[in-house]
């Protein structure tokens, strides 16, 4: 899994940064891509990236402010022209369905793939045995949600040396054992998964938060997360401004990651007053003073999700 940031600015696009959109690439896990928020110009940023709309499987909208939403109708319309024919599900707060249907309807846009729209107010959104996604309300001017993506534990590695002793080569039997099925081999010997599998590989947890002031649900969603993506709109010297506009500072993002026992913090959603990565340096410094494993998101830069153990 890896992050690809398509926009890291708050409010409006600038020459240096586009507004919010985050791609989570699930290359090995399911050969697909999930998108979190879709600000204006997101499809243009995708054209400048290695991402493919045909791989897009799910979109999660944190809230209905324009800098997180205005790119959605165009992207949905363009997806079919870029080979996207597989079903697509969009999740978001109440009002999302009306926005999509009105935008596509008035423009007479044609969608030739199955488009499902799921409005929610939090809770478990889906669980397919490989991933579970849950959501909770944050503290913003309008309803804004955070998402917690839990990867289920994976079977341990097969003991190939032992399997070779039984004359078993890579193939269907390997798959059965990894799925937890016992198999009969030559001589009538029954091999059970626990006999040939190592310890399970712990699944990763990813938390991606929408715009928010500090609140208990940020810590709840980020509990023991491998990576937390948290807004850091302002440096902490502007904490009063952040509070007034229902946002967080870099220091507050770091405090949330620390309180949650997270492994890594990636900060995004930066105010336009910080023109470039150099001017964002003080935000990174103050975050690291509380939570050393802090990073600044940067557009068109891949950030791998760390493995556990």
């Amino acid at each position: 899994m890896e992050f690809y940031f398509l926009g890291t600015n708050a409010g409006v696009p600038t020459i240096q940064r586009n507004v919010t959109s985050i791609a989570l690439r699930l290359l090995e896990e399911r050969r697909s891509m999930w998108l979190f928020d879709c600000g204006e110009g997101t499809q243009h940023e995708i054209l400048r990236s290695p991402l493919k709309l045909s791989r897009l499987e799910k979109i999660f909208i944190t809230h209905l402010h324009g800098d997180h939403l205005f790119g959605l109708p165009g992207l949905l319309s363009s997806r079919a022209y870029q080979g996207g024919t597989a079903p697509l599900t969009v999740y978001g707060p109440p009002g999302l369905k009306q926005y999509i249907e009105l935008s596509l309807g008035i423009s007479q846009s044609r969608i030739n793939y199955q488009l499902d729209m799921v409005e929610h107010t939090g809770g478990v959104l889906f669980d397919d045995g490989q991933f579970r996604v849950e959501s909770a309300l944050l503290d913003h001017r309008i309803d804004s949600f955070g998402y917690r993506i839990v990867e289920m534990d994976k079977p341990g590695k097969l003991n190939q040396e032992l399997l070779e002793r039984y004359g078993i080569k890579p193939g269907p039997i390997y798959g059965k054992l990894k799925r937890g099925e016992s198999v009969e081999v030559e001589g009538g010997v029954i091999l059970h998964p626990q006999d040939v599998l190592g310890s399970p590989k712990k699944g990763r947890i990813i938390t991606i938060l929408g715009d928010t002031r500090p609140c208990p649900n940020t810590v709840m969603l980020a509990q023991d997360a491998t990576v937390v993506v948290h807004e850091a709109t302002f440096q902490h010297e502007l904490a009063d401004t952040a509070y007034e506009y229902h946002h967080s500072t870099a220091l507050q993002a770091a405090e949330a990651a620390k309180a949650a026992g997270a492994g890594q913090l990636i900060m995004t959603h930066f105010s336009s007053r910080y023109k470039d990565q150099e001017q964002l340096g003080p935000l990174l410094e103050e975050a690291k003073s509380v939570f050393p494993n802090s990073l600044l998101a940067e557009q068109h830069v891949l950030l791998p999700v760390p493995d556990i153990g």
Side-chain angles (χ1 to χ4, degrees):
M1 285 192 284
E2 55 192 19
F3 290 108
Y4 194 98
F5 286 83
L6 294 159
T8 62
N9 211 61
V12 296
T14 67
I15 294 174
Q16 295 82 12
R17 298 190 299 265
N18 197 37
V19 285
T20 300
S21 185
I22 304 167
L24 178 63
R25 302 175 80 190
L26 307 167
L27 298 179
E28 294 182 6
E29 293 77 12
R30 55 207 293 155
R31 296 185 61 79
S32 68
M33 173 179 75
W34 294 356
L35 204 62
F36 292 82
D37 285 330
C38 189
E40 179 185 356
T42 292
Q43 66 172 313
H44 293 278
E45 299 301 326
I46 288 176
L47 291 173
R48 301 184 185 101
S49 79
L51 307 176
K52 296 182 184 299
L53 277 180
S54 60
R55 293 277 181 90
L56 183 59
E57 181 186 25
K58 297 181 183 295
I59 302 175
F60 299 87
I61 301 298
T62 60
H63 63 295
L64 303 185
H65 276 156
D67 58 327
H68 296 253
L69 184 68
F70 282 167
L72 187 56
L75 182 141
L76 293 176
S77 180
S78 298
R79 180 176 181 258
Y81 294 100
Q82 298 187 33
T85 56
L88 173 65
T89 306
V90 184
Y91 301 83
L96 175 69
K97 185 176 180 180
Q98 181 185 6
Y99 173 75
I100 293 174
E101 290 180 341
L102 191 61
S103 301
L104 297 181
I106 289 177
S107 62
Q108 297 187 23
S109 300
R110 294 184 178 181
I111 303 295
N112 64 349
Y113 54 86
Q114 180 181 326
L115 176 62
D116 297 315
M117 292 168 277
V118 178
E119 294 185 340
H120 68 84
T121 55
V124 176
L125 303 184
F126 79 93
D127 184 339
D128 63 2
Q130 186 179 25
F131 289 97
R132 183 178 72 253
V133 178
E134 55 192 275
S135 181
L137 185 66
L138 305 175
D139 183 359
H140 194 48
R141 285 197 298 116
I142 62 174
D143 284 356
S144 179
F145 290 87
Y147 294 99
R148 178 180 173 92
I149 304 99
V150 179
E151 179 187 34
M152 303 307 176
D153 293 348
K154 297 178 181 179
K157 288 186 177 181
L158 286 167
N159 186 334
Q160 289 185 303
E161 184 178 340
L162 178 59
L163 290 170
E164 286 174 2
R165 290 183 204 161
Y166 288 101
I168 302 172
K169 296 182 179 180
I173 291 180
Y174 275 39
K176 287 183 178 181
L177 289 166
K178 281 219 162 193
R179 290 192 298 270
E181 301 174 25
S182 298
V183 297
E184 184 175 348
V185 298
E186 190 175 340
V189 176
I190 303 296
L191 282 181
H192 302 287
Q194 61 267 29
D195 300 328
V196 294
L197 284 172
S199 300
K201 183 179 179 182
K202 183 101 175 129
R204 291 161 289 185
I205 299 173
I206 295 170
T207 301
I208 299 176
L209 302 169
D211 293 2
T212 187
R213 289 171 174 168
C215 67
N217 276 352
T218 62
V219 177
M220 184 272 290
L221 287 169
Q223 195 68 44
D224 300 321
T226 312
V227 182
V228 178
V229 179
H230 197 303
E231 69 132 292
T233 309
F234 299 104
Q235 194 175 351
H236 201 67
E237 63 185 18
L238 295 173
D240 290 343
T241 303
Y243 185 84
E244 179 183 356
Y245 288 98
H246 292 78
H247 286 298
S248 295
T249 68
L251 185 68
Q252 289 167 341
E255 289 173 341
K258 182 178 180 179
Q264 184 181 72
L265 168 67
I266 302 176
M267 294 178 289
T268 187
H269 197 269
F270 309 118
S271 167
S272 299
R273 70 182 61 219
Y274 310 110
K275 303 299 182 187
D276 51 34
Q277 292 298 111
E278 183 177 350
Q279 290 190 15
L280 288 171
L283 280 75
L284 182 60
E285 290 177 11
E286 71 180 28
K288 283 190 168 185
S289 71
V290 171
F291 190 80
N293 196 12
S294 297
L295 302 171
L296 296 172
E298 188 172 354
Q299 285 187 199
H300 296 291
V301 174
L302 282 170
L303 287 175
V305 178
D307 284 323
I308 298 177

